[in-house]
Amino acid sequence: MSRERVVVAMSGGVDSAVAAARCVAAGDDVVGISLRLTSGGAGSCCSLDDFHDARAVADRLGFPHYVFDMTDAFARHVVRPFVADYLAGRTPNPCARCNQHVKFGLLWERAAELGARRLATGHYARIDVEAGGRLRLRAAADAAKDQSYFLFMLDQATLGRTVFPVGGLSKAAVRREAAALGLAVADKPESMEVCFVPRGDAAGFVERAAAPGALRPGAIVDEDGRVLGRHPGVHRFTVGQRRGLGLAGGGPARYVRRLDAGSGTVTVVAGAAALAARGLVVRDVSWVAGTAPAAGTVLGVRIRHRHRPGAAGLALGGREPRRAWAGGRGPAGTPGQAAAFYAGDVVLGGGWIAGDVA
Amino acid sequence: MRVYLDHNATAPLRPEAREAMLALLGPPANASSAHREGARARAAVEAARADVAALIGAQPAEIVFTSGATEANNLALRGSLGARPGGLVTTAVEHASVLQTARALERAGAPLAVVGADAAGRVDAARVLAACGPGTTLVSVGLANGEVGALGPVGEVAAGLAGRGVWLHTDAVQAVGRIAVDVGVLGADLLSLSSHKLGGPAGVGALWVRPGVRLAWQMTGGPQERGRRAGTESAPALAGFGTAARLARAEQAAVAARTAALADALWAGLRAAVPDVVRNGPADGARLPNTLNVSFPGCRGESLVVLLDLAGVAASAGSACAAGAAEASHVLVAMGRDPEAARGGLRLSLGPTTTADDVARVVELLPGLVAQVRGARRAGTAA
């Protein structure tokens, strides 16, 4: 058999179903794999329904499908760091970590054991080849669905064995294709929240998972150190947050500017303008091309999913490159979130936000 | 042509059992009805009861039909402690339907002792007996372990418990039809068995109850099974169960000899091709004749199961969740394996339909798959 074996990561949703269908149509030897990431069960991710949905797609399209248990690895690489980040006053990005460690890390290892040459996923992003043979990671054709922000850590070796079959399609086109193939998941609603956190209640999840005494309660203060209120733990806040501060009304809206887990202090500022920073500090930076662009290169920097990249100049400083916002002012970074660097719709790389350049 | 080496999960339906079932599918078949249709169903159910009883040397009236061995194990544990509240002793290598039920009873207040196993999955009768206190009313020890093939010390435990007023239950699902089982000499009070491991249909099983043992019956609402288990019997399924039991009894010694020889050939072939292969379970002596559980260091059992499946061979990696994902085997953990090694087991379980060609195919195929997985691992480590 000369057909190339391709493992398709299948969540049970419509995107990965169509990704698999496109691999089948391309003549690949497709093996579908779903990952069991938590033992929670119904209502969250990895419910039996999702596995049954994925298996029904595989049956319909005529390829084998298996479920691999990765609950231990997911807890180690994603869930425990998620809790630790919140307790330390950071706002984690579990999807990017899952991509980095689980999907494009451990799942690829397992796929390679199965003799796969490539791994396909239902991510909305595109991979193309530059003139010199170098691979580029680009935003999806459908900007509203683009997931390239969560994929900034992919390198040349990973891109070379990765396929994003739906990255050039709109979501509507994906649903149409699924319906045309008679796939029952064609109309399946999307899950928008962190898959392992029930009802989107991250604070409650952290409180249930935290060790006794690990929560960091403290004061809510203004920039002058004036105490405005008390709070039950820094994990309930994120930089830039306006709602749910529990402060007495009046005056301009207040926003969270800083979290200090050591003292439990939440610092707020009045008015959105006070959230600005001169630049960002980004840690553990990786570059899709394998090498960093020259210092001073102006990049687009996206600091949240769906955030429109702002222009920033690059200043390399050891392992913690700094990015100064063009024009000297930009949004404050949220420690723990990813910063992805773009040139137009091409992802150059990214890293994890450590703080601001004040 | 597929090769099926997962008989400990379920066996293919025997053609004779299928015929017996087909004869009852269609006409009304409620064995409790007064009319002729009901009488025909009753005759089929009672014939099945006689066949199942004969398979284990019991009397037909001692057989309570259930929806399967899981229900039989639940009935044995819950019914015993319901009738005689007290402590429960079991072992760490039992099937989940025993272990999880025991844990549930513990949460409901029953003192529970779980006795460990040795590195081969064997349980020491003396340790089971030592775990029994004055308040113990039930001991549950499996007759054979379906993952690694070790046999449980049921006879020794029964001898040790004689005269102490403690009931002894044994989950014999993996033993019946593979080794000789006779409740007349075993000494147990309760014994669970399953239809689909014998080549009957899934969805039916039985609990053998020694005369004089009165359980708190769990399923109420009808006179079926002499009031011991309410609910209309599935006459077609029981006809299949009975037929499979009759064949299993007739063929047990011959099948055991043949599967043992084939399992030995499989083990010898794998060992010759992959010298560092490890056998999980008893290396010699008493064990299930049809079960070979092996680990290839540096290889996940799960990857091998998938590669074998893609190449046309059905095998198993031991414990699986409802979605079919392999989990760390609680049996291998009880045998002292670390969590990573407990995911490494590959179980090949043979049955009456297994042929020498099946074994030859696996011996030809598996070493190459092991090399492939190890090669990918090395490449991954080097990268």
Side-chain angles (χ1 to χ4, degrees):
Chain A
M1 187 159 39
S2 61
R3 293 189 307 153
E4 208 172 65
R5 181 164 289 168
V6 174
V7 161
V8 183
M10 297 185 72
S11 65
V14 65
D15 301 323
S16 51
V18 171
R22 292 192 144 222
C23 291
V24 170
D28 294 327
D29 171 17
V30 172
V31 176
I33 305 249
S34 296
L35 297 180
R36 182 172 180 249
L37 300 176
T38 68
S39 48
S44 62
C45 68
C46 317
S47 74
L48 268 180
D49 289 346
D50 288 329
F51 298 141
H52 291 163
D53 286 347
R55 186 147 294 175
V57 168
D59 279 348
R60 173 101 194 162
L61 299 175
F63 61 85
H65 169 261
Y66 305 94
V67 179
F68 284 170
D69 178 77
M70 291 201 182
T71 50
D72 293 351
F74 191 71
R76 184 166 66 251
H77 291 297
V78 180
V79 179
R80 286 206 287 270
F82 175 87
V83 172
D85 271 348
Y86 267 117
L87 293 175
R90 294 187 293 267
T91 306
N93 189 324
C95 299
R97 285 192 62 92
C98 178
N99 284 335
Q100 180 169 18
H101 295 283
V102 180
K103 291 197 185 128
F104 295 95
L106 294 169
L107 174 57
W108 166 252
E109 287 176 21
R110 305 293 296 279
E113 289 181 14
L114 301 185
R117 310 299 296 273
R118 284 175 294 147
L119 175 70
T121 75
H123 283 110
Y124 283 87
R126 290 177 290 177
I127 299 168
D128 63 18
V129 189
E130 277 185 278
R134 190 180 275 178
L135 298 169
R136 291 196 308 183
L137 175 64
R138 290 173 59 209
D142 183 347
K145 297 306 304 174
D146 175 42
Q147 292 172 315
S148 59
Y149 169 71
F150 298 106
L151 299 167
F152 70 83
M153 76 296 297
L154 301 185
D155 59 13
Q156 290 290 303
T158 310
L159 290 181
R161 62 187 185 229
T162 300
V163 203
F164 297 133
V166 302
L169 300 178
S170 69
K171 184 81 183 192
V174 166
R175 289 199 185 279
R176 275 198 303 277
E177 218 168 290
L181 290 164
L183 303 182
V185 293
D187 299 320
K188 187 170 172 176
E190 287 187 75
S191 53
M192 300 298 287
E193 289 166 345
V194 174
C195 71
F196 58 90
V197 174
R199 297 172 303 279
D201 177 18
F205 183 87
V206 170
E207 284 157 19
R208 288 190 297 276
L215 300 183
R216 310 303 304 175
I220 301 177
V221 304
D222 66 14
E223 289 271 57
D224 300 324
R226 214 152 48 92
V227 175
L228 306 175
R230 310 285 306 173
H231 67 83
V234 294
H235 65 282
R236 291 184 159 265
F237 301 90
T238 185
V239 170
Q241 175 181 342
R242 181 161 72 100
R243 295 207 179 90
L245 301 183
L247 299 176
R254 291 201 181 86
Y255 296 83
V256 174
R257 184 66 185 83
R258 265 187 306 282
L259 301 172
D260 180 353
S263 63
T265 303
V266 175
T267 305
V268 299
V269 292
L275 274 180
R278 285 173 47 227
L280 293 176
V281 179
V282 183
R283 277 189 301 122
D284 297 329
V285 170
S286 61
W287 299 99
V288 173
T291 53
T297 304
V298 174
L299 312 167
V301 180
R302 176 175 278 174
I303 60 171
R304 276 187 295 281
H305 184 40
R306 300 224 167 86
H307 161 247
R308 201 159 143 261
L314 176 66
L316 289 173
R319 286 185 55 78
E320 293 195 352
R322 287 153 190 276
R323 267 133 210 91
W325 292 113
R329 267 173 96 73
T334 304
Q337 287 287 296
F341 311 140
Y342 288 80
D345 71 350
V346 176
V347 180
L348 301 177
W352 302 96
I353 296 172
D356 296 318
V357 179
Chain B
M1 204 37 202
R2 300 271 305 174
V3 172
Y4 187 78
L5 294 184
D6 202 13
H7 286 260
N8 287 11
T10 194
L13 188 67
R14 308 227 15 173
E16 300 89 339
R18 186 169 179 276
E19 287 305 312
M21 295 174 72
L22 283 173
L24 285 157
L25 285 171
N30 187 331
S32 300
S33 299
H35 43 62
R36 282 194 212 177
E37 289 84 351
R40 184 165 173 269
R42 170 59 58 200
V45 168
E46 296 313 316
R49 197 184 308 278
D51 284 330
V52 169
L55 176 61
I56 56 170
Q59 293 302 312
E62 297 158 14
I63 299 294
V64 179
F65 284 133
T66 65
S67 65
T70 292
E71 185 190 330
N73 285 337
N74 268 267
L75 175 55
L77 269 60
R78 295 175 191 276
S80 292
L81 292 190
R84 305 196 314 170
L88 171 61
V89 174
T90 188
T91 87
V93 294
E94 298 302 317
H95 186 264
S97 58
V98 169
L99 268 178
Q100 290 182 17
T101 304
R103 296 282 181 209
L105 288 164
E106 180 186 35
R107 285 192 296 275
L112 172 68
V114 178
V115 177
D118 71 10
R122 287 174 301 223
V123 173
D124 181 355
R127 292 184 58 196
V128 175
L129 293 167
C132 295
T136 302
T137 58
L138 180 69
V139 174
S140 180
V141 176
L143 196 49
N145 182 279
E147 279 194 48
V148 300
L151 301 187
V154 177
E156 288 169 81
V157 171
L161 290 175
R164 287 173 62 171
V166 178
W167 287 342
L168 173 60
H169 166 250
T170 186
D171 172 358
V173 165
Q174 299 287 356
V176 169
R178 303 200 177 119
I179 59 175
V181 177
D182 183 344
V183 294
V185 296
L186 195 57
D189 301 289
L190 299 155
L191 179 147
S192 305
L193 70 163
S194 160
S195 156
H196 72 108
K197 312 284 192 202
L198 298 174
V204 279
L207 182 67
W208 167 76
V209 184
R210 177 184 292 285
V213 170
R214 293 189 61 82
L215 302 180
W217 307 109
Q218 303 291 302
M219 201 74 87
T220 56
Q224 293 86 0
E225 300 300 299
R226 301 172 183 230
R228 297 173 298 186
R229 199 277 187 185
T232 300
E233 299 94 339
S234 171
L238 291 174
F241 184 11
T243 304
R246 193 168 68 243
L247 294 169
R249 181 175 176 232
E251 298 172 4
Q252 185 267 314
V255 169
R258 216 161 56 78
T259 53
L262 290 171
D264 285 348
L266 182 52
W267 171 236
L270 293 178
R271 202 152 54 149
V274 190
D276 62 348
V277 62
V278 175
R279 181 167 190 154
N280 303 310
D284 46 32
R287 65 182 182 213
L288 281 181
N290 75 317
T291 305
L292 178 63
N293 189 313
V294 291
S295 292
F296 300 92
C299 268
R300 284 171 174 273
E302 190 174 44
S303 293
L304 294 175
V305 166
V306 170
L307 284 168
L308 283 170
D309 187 44
L310 292 171
V313 178
S316 151
S319 295
C321 76
E327 299 180 308
S329 156
H330 74 277
V331 173
L332 294 185
V333 169
M335 289 160 60
R337 307 290 203 278
D338 64 48
E340 193 58 32
R343 289 172 177 270
L346 172 70
R347 182 184 70 184
L348 302 158
S349 51
L350 288 56
T353 53
T354 305
T355 65
D357 283 350
D358 293 343
V359 166
R361 175 82 185 118
V362 174
V363 169
E364 168 192 291
L365 194 62
L366 191 48
L369 300 179
V370 169
Q372 173 182 326
V373 172
R374 287 177 170 173
R377 284 233 150 171
R378 271 195 300 276
T381 316

